[in-house]
């Protein structure tokens, strides 16, 4: 870039800032000169308008375009439900849907159960902060980072070579042959799910532990005086007291699981029957150059997420009414 080009860019930037400042100044001037009742309305509009505009440009408009593209082919011609027919008839697409269902069943269930058990066991223990930090650390790692870490755990080298994968090295120590973990279906899908569980369990522990601490100590003491054992106190006092937190944890992890892309893309690329809806959406739209199929998968993903969100809202609303 030459000096003149750089100066031109700077002038454009300064000009844009000046125009923005002038528009804001005019808005504030008219708000100040307006009557008091009208001034409140104008202030509300002025504060909400930028967010509404950005929401429309970044969310509403793309959603409408995606919905329209789901009923068209790669040339933009209307094809009706052909993309959805492909999704529910082709073996590869059916494997993708099957894998997504498996992910959504296992990840939220196992993550929540492990997180709840862990949070309950370490509650008010001596090293509680350290225990929480250790299990929360994976949640602070990006999905790509987690995928790379676990890809080394599952790494394969032919027999006779030094194994850099932890699992295969353990097999070699016990006199077994190394295994192509990430290429063996359907085991590879379960191994990818383990990575997601490893990441999400920390979130479940933190939320549920905070909720457990919110249970009044008087309730636990009263239950103990009534002669209940630990399991009875857990099922009759703790679980009802943290129901709202459980709903939040399960729904949040379920939505994150439905959208999982990074782990699959990093570890297998969706090959060897490991693809999920979000990964297949990317593959069809940007690799296979079939935006219609990718858009149809995006709509299916939206339909799968919507009931979870609606249920979460209904539960939280009921709890608010009770309070």
């Amino acid at each position: 870039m030459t000096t003149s080009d750089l100066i031109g860019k700077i002038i454009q930037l300064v000009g844009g800032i000046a125009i923005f400042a002038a528009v804001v100044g005019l808005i504030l001037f008219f708000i100040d000169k307006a009557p008091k009742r009208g001034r409140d309305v104008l202030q509300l509009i002025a504060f909400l308008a930028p967010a509404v505009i950005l929401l429309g440009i970044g969310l509403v408009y793309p959603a409408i375009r995606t919905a329209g593209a789901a009923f068209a082919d790669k040339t933009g011609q209307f094809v009706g439900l052909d993309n959805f027919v492909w999704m529910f008839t082709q073996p590869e697409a059916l494997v993708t849907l099957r894998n997504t269902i498996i992910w959504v069943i296992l990840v939220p269930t196992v993550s929540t159960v492990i997180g709840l058990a862990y949070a309950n066991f370490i509650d008010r223990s001596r090293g509680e902060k350290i225990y929480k930090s250790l299990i929360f650390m994976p949640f602070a790692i990006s999905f790509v980072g987690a995928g790379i870490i676990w890809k080394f755990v599952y790494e394969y080298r032919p027999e006779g070579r030094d194994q850099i994968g932890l699992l295969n090295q353990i097999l070699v120590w016990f006199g077994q042959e190394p295994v192509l973990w990430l290429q063996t279906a359907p085991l590879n899908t379960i191994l990818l799910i383990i990575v997601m569980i490893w990441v999400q369990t920390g979130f479940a522990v933190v939320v549920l532990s905070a909720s457990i601490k919110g249970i009044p100590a008087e309730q636990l003491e009263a239950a103990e005086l009534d002669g209940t054992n630990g399991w009875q106190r857990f099922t009759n006092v703790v679980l009802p007291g943290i129901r709202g937190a459980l709903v939040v944890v399960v729904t949040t992890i379920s939505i994150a699981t439905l959208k999982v892309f990074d782990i699959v893309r990093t570890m297998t690329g969706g090959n060897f029957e490991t693809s999920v809806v979000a990964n297949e959406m990317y593959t069809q739209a940007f690799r296979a150059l079939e935006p219609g199929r990718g858009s149809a998968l995006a709509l299916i993903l939206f339909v799968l997420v919507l009931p979870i969100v609606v249920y979460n809202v209904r539960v939280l609303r009921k709890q608010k009414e009770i309070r």
Side-chain angles (χ1 to χ4, degrees):
M1 181 182 293
T2 62
T3 304
S4 59
D5 293 336
L6 179 60
I7 293 174
K9 294 289 185 182
I10 295 173
I11 292 174
Q12 290 178 357
L13 177 62
V14 173
I17 294 173
I19 293 172
F20 176 77
V23 171
V24 173
L26 286 173
I27 292 173
L28 294 176
F29 173 78
F30 287 119
I31 289 175
D32 184 63
K33 294 299 182 182
K36 188 177 187 310
R37 181 176 298 178
R39 187 184 307 170
D40 294 338
V41 176
L42 289 175
Q43 286 178 341
L44 180 63
I45 294 174
F47 279 110
L48 292 181
V52 172
I53 292 172
L54 291 175
L55 188 65
I57 295 174
L59 183 63
V60 177
Y61 176 69
I64 296 173
R65 286 290 303 271
T66 300
F71 299 94
D73 60 12
K74 65 173 67 177
T75 63
Q77 296 294 322
F78 180 78
V79 293
L81 298 175
D82 286 359
N83 293 322
F84 297 92
V85 172
W86 164 84
M87 189 187 313
F88 292 103
T89 55
Q90 293 301 312
E92 297 83 0
L94 290 175
V95 168
T96 297
L97 295 174
R98 180 203 67 190
N99 290 342
T100 302
I101 294 172
I102 294 173
W103 276 75
V104 174
I105 292 174
L106 290 182
V107 174
T109 303
V110 178
S111 298
T112 304
V113 170
I114 295 176
L116 178 58
Y118 192 88
N120 189 61
F121 288 144
I122 68 170
D123 185 46
R124 297 180 177 87
S125 63
R126 195 169 188 178
E128 180 179 358
K129 293 181 180 179
I130 298 175
Y131 300 147
K132 281 183 182 178
S133 300
L134 289 175
I135 200 167
F136 185 75
M137 285 174 64
F139 187 69
I141 302 173
S142 68
F143 285 161
V144 173
I148 292 173
I149 291 171
W150 280 85
K151 192 172 183 180
F152 280 112
V153 174
Y154 302 142
E155 190 62 51
Y156 167 83
R157 289 288 184 273
E159 188 177 4
R161 294 181 56 186
D162 292 336
Q163 298 295 325
I164 65 172
L166 177 61
L167 286 185
N168 279 323
Q169 184 59 61
I170 293 174
L171 289 179
V172 171
W173 283 340
F174 284 93
Q176 303 296 318
E177 295 182 0
V179 177
L180 285 163
W181 297 107
L182 295 179
Q183 297 181 24
T184 306
L187 177 63
N188 47 12
T189 297
I190 302 300
L191 296 177
L192 297 185
I193 288 174
I194 290 174
V195 181
M196 188 69 170
I197 293 171
W198 180 69
V199 172
Q200 293 295 332
T201 300
F203 167 75
V205 168
V206 171
V207 175
L208 296 177
S209 178
S211 184
I212 289 173
K213 290 185 179 302
I215 298 175
E218 295 80 5
Q219 293 183 8
L220 294 172
E221 292 172 359
E224 188 174 0
L225 291 174
D226 288 340
T228 59
N229 56 35
W231 176 252
Q232 290 172 331
R233 288 194 296 274
F234 176 75
T235 54
N236 297 320
V237 179
V238 176
L239 281 182
I242 64 172
R243 184 170 181 269
L246 282 172
V247 171
V248 171
V249 168
V250 171
T251 53
T252 302
I253 296 178
S254 297
I255 293 172
T257 303
L258 282 169
K259 299 187 298 180
V260 67
F261 167 81
D262 317 62
I263 292 174
V264 175
R265 200 74 202 172
T266 302
M267 299 185 70
T268 63
N271 300 314
F272 315 112
E273 299 184 11
T274 59
S275 189
V276 291
V277 170
N279 179 75
E280 193 64 24
M281 177 178 65
Y282 168 82
T283 301
Q284 292 296 327
F286 300 105
R287 292 298 180 90
L289 300 180
E290 291 284 354
R293 294 178 180 177
S295 299
L297 286 164
L299 279 185
I300 292 297
L301 191 61
F302 173 77
V303 171
L304 292 174
V305 170
L306 191 59
I308 300 174
V309 175
V310 172
Y311 174 75
N312 195 12
V313 171
R314 290 183 62 184
V315 170
L316 293 177
R317 184 176 298 171
K318 287 181 180 178
Q319 290 182 343
K320 187 176 180 181
E321 292 174 355
I322 293 173
R323 293 173 186 173

